[in-house]
Amino acid sequence: MKALGKKVWLVPDCYYPEISVEGPYISHEAICVLNTSDEDAEIKLTLYFEHDEPDFGFASKCGARRTHHIRLDMITDKDGNHIPKGKPYALLVESSVPVVCQYSRLDTTQPQMSLTTTIAHALED
């Protein structure tokens, strides 16, 4: 099958809250990657902040003909650092092969939790 998608995706509004209400779910974000190609996708994530320099150290992999949910509250950079809580950021997703990216945020900062999801913005290759 022909590889579907794009190699570069943007999510301009990311945020991992510092608190979660007690319950079965914790607040988190995820990038869901769909790779329809016959090659594994090497995924590089770059975080952009309002007042700080970008963070280039996050990476993941999505197997050939697979999907992968990259939990942004669990991923670490090459030095073992997590994405900071309570600090708005934007996300650049770069893949070695064309993929499709969806962004989701589960907000449990109040008892009436909410789930937001959207297809990330794809750039032309």
Side-chain angles (χ1 to χ4, degrees), residues 1 16 20 33 44 47 49-50 53 60 67 69-71 88 93 99 101 108 112 114 119:
M1 172 186 252
Y16 180 33
S20 287
V33 178
K44 293 190 319 184
L47 282 59
F49 302 98
E50 188 171 7
E53 290 299 311
S60 190
T67 185
H69 291 78
I70 304 170
R71 283 279 300 261
V93 180
V99 296
C101 289
T108 64
Q112 298 79 19
S114 66
I119 295 294

Side-chain angles (χ1 to χ4, degrees), residues 19-91:
I19 62 168
S20 287
V21 171
E22 184 78 26
Y25 303 106
I26 61 165
S27 292
H28 68 273
E29 301 171 290
I31 294 291
C32 182
V33 178
L34 171 61
N35 178 6
T36 62
S37 79
D38 293 330
E39 296 178 48
D40 290 349
E42 300 293 331
I43 308 292
K44 293 190 319 184
L45 304 175
T46 302
L47 282 59
Y48 289 88
F49 302 98
E50 188 171 7
H51 300 292
D52 295 329
E53 290 299 311
D55 189 336
F56 300 97
F58 295 91
S60 190
K61 183 184 286 191
C62 182
R65 300 173 312 280
R66 298 287 185 266
T67 185
H68 178 54
H69 291 78
I70 304 170
R71 283 279 300 261
L72 299 176
D73 59 317
M74 296 181 177
I75 195 169
T76 57
D77 67 12
K78 60 186 178 303
D79 297 322
N81 299 309
H82 290 271
I83 292 175
K85 292 182 179 183
K87 187 174 186 179
Y89 66 98
L91 188 62

